[in-house]
Amino acid sequence: MTVQQLPPRSAWSSGHRFDDQRCWEARLRLGFQDDGGVTRLKDVDHHGPLRVQRPFYPEGNHGPCHVYLLHPPGGLVSGDRLHVDVRVKPGASALLTTPAANKLYRADSHGVAWKQHTRLSIADAAFVEWLPQETIAFDGSRGIQETEVVLEKSARCLGWEVLALGRPASQMPFASGHLEQRFRLTLDGRPLWLERQPLDPLHRRFHGRWGQGGHQVQATLWAAGLADPLAAVEEIRRQLDKRASPGWAVTQRHGVLLLRYLGDSRAQAWGLCEAAWAVLRPLFNGRGVCPPRIWRT
């Protein structure tokens, strides 16, 4: 893969100014559709520093369309706004990931927040795998992450979010700042999973055993549209128990399977999500996992 020198911030399309710094408003809209049994990326519209590489078909032309989302700046700073809108038409199948970890940098002197919004609109009989690499929140970061999944009829979706707070290995824990994660999943307009999670290291919930417990890494994996979610939960428990990884649990509510991890190891959280993906994917499309090549670079 060729690595190109990125232009300075001023060279990209940008939004408003905060504290004499250029902050970016970036949008990306993708549209997938089934074309005779082959999923095609038919619609790409972008503004600002959000791009995609060309589609890949590592599982054959009739397998899912693999797409890598590129954010050349590599992270968010105060005032940045990132919007990703993915629309998948009936019968199409897509796997989306990122080439590297997403970084949430320290807020500016005014404490201006960033915002990241992802919307996945999945039509009847379509299947989407949303598998971004982990997010790393630097000490002092302030912002909101929103993930919205809109399902129609027999649509199916599997996704995850792995979040690491601070950089403890560099003696830089997440000691200040404020993050908020919001999840919303609906089926034919009916809410199935709504969640709002504030993360504030100065709040007692962050250190309480009934809350974050002082842990620095967390992950959430969701799966919707399974034929038998209860059986899937039991299969994950059976297979992942062999890994003896502490700090995780899996359940289902209203047909949505949810797996959680809370601990202090990014590698452990990522490995757990990959292992659960290996269990769940055949239940969706009869295929074994096909890890994107970019994960190994």
Side-chain angles (χ1 to χ4, degrees):
M1 183 177 66
T2 302
V3 178
Q4 297 180 339
Q5 182 69 32
L6 295 176
R9 271 195 170 221
S10 58
W12 294 89
S13 299
S14 55
H16 303 288
R17 283 183 180 272
F18 292 96
D19 195 23
D20 295 324
Q21 292 184 357
R22 182 72 71 175
C23 296
W24 290 344
E25 177 90 19
R27 294 187 178 90
L28 177 66
R29 187 179 72 233
L30 305 177
F32 296 86
Q33 71 178 58
D34 177 68
D35 182 9
V38 179
T39 297
R40 305 289 188 190
L41 178 57
K42 291 287 190 178
D43 182 23
V44 180
D45 183 28
H46 64 84
H47 167 79
L50 267 177
R51 300 288 191 274
V52 293
Q53 285 189 343
R54 65 177 178 82
F56 296 93
Y57 294 89
E59 304 177 66
N61 288 339
H62 294 282
C65 177
H66 289 223
V67 171
Y68 302 162
L69 279 63
L70 308 179
H71 183 227
L76 299 175
V77 301
S78 287
D80 284 356
R81 300 291 185 268
L82 214 62
H83 305 273
V84 176
D85 185 1
V86 178
R87 304 179 187 187
V88 185
K89 293 188 176 180
S93 180
L95 184 154
L96 299 103
T97 189
T98 56
N102 180 32
K103 298 178 179 64
L104 309 176
Y105 293 110
R106 186 180 185 88
D108 63 14
S109 59
H110 297 293
V112 176
W114 48 262
K115 187 172 183 179
Q116 181 176 356
H117 180 263
T118 301
R119 179 183 171 92
L120 309 175
S121 300
I122 309 169
D124 186 33
F127 177 43
V128 170
E129 294 165 278
W130 175 255
L131 310 175
Q133 296 203 51
E134 70 268 26
T135 296
I136 302 173
F138 285 44
D139 179 38
S141 183
R142 301 183 67 86
I144 298 172
Q145 277 187 318
E146 290 183 328
T147 301
E148 184 178 6
V149 182
V150 180
L151 304 177
E152 297 179 3
K153 298 181 180 178
S154 62
R156 297 158 296 155
C157 182
L158 185 152
W160 65 46
E161 177 66 42
V162 178
L163 175 64
L165 300 170
R167 294 176 290 167
S170 301
Q171 286 74 53
M172 300 179 70
F174 189 68
S176 64
H178 183 92
L179 305 183
E180 186 171 310
Q181 288 188 318
R182 300 174 183 173
F183 294 96
R184 178 181 177 86
L185 188 149
T186 62
L187 174 61
D188 291 331
R190 181 169 63 94
L192 299 183
W193 174 38
L194 304 177
E195 184 170 294
R196 172 182 171 271
Q197 177 181 213
L199 294 168
D200 183 345
L202 300 182
H203 193 280
R204 59 180 182 172
R205 177 188 177 279
F206 191 85
H207 298 282
R209 295 183 64 182
W210 47 272
Q212 190 78 9
H215 292 296
Q216 300 294 317
V217 179
Q218 63 183 53
T220 297
L221 177 147
W222 68 88
L226 288 162
D228 190 343
L230 283 172
V233 167
E234 292 305 317
E235 186 64 15
I236 286 178
R237 287 173 178 164
R238 185 181 69 83
Q239 294 201 33
L240 270 62
D241 271 350
K242 298 176 183 177
R243 301 174 61 90
S245 299
W248 70 272
V250 61
T251 188
Q252 72 87 32
R253 291 278 293 174
H254 305 296
V256 180
L257 181 146
L258 292 172
L259 181 145
R260 312 279 197 174
Y261 168 86
L262 184 61
D264 298 292
S265 170
R266 277 191 284 163
Q268 195 173 77
W270 182 264
L272 187 69
C273 287
E274 276 201 286
W277 180 42
V279 175
L280 294 170
R281 196 179 203 235
L283 303 180
F284 279 113
N285 62 7
R287 294 174 177 266
V289 296
C290 180
R293 185 173 55 187
I294 197 70
W295 291 356
R296 299 191 296 271
T297 61

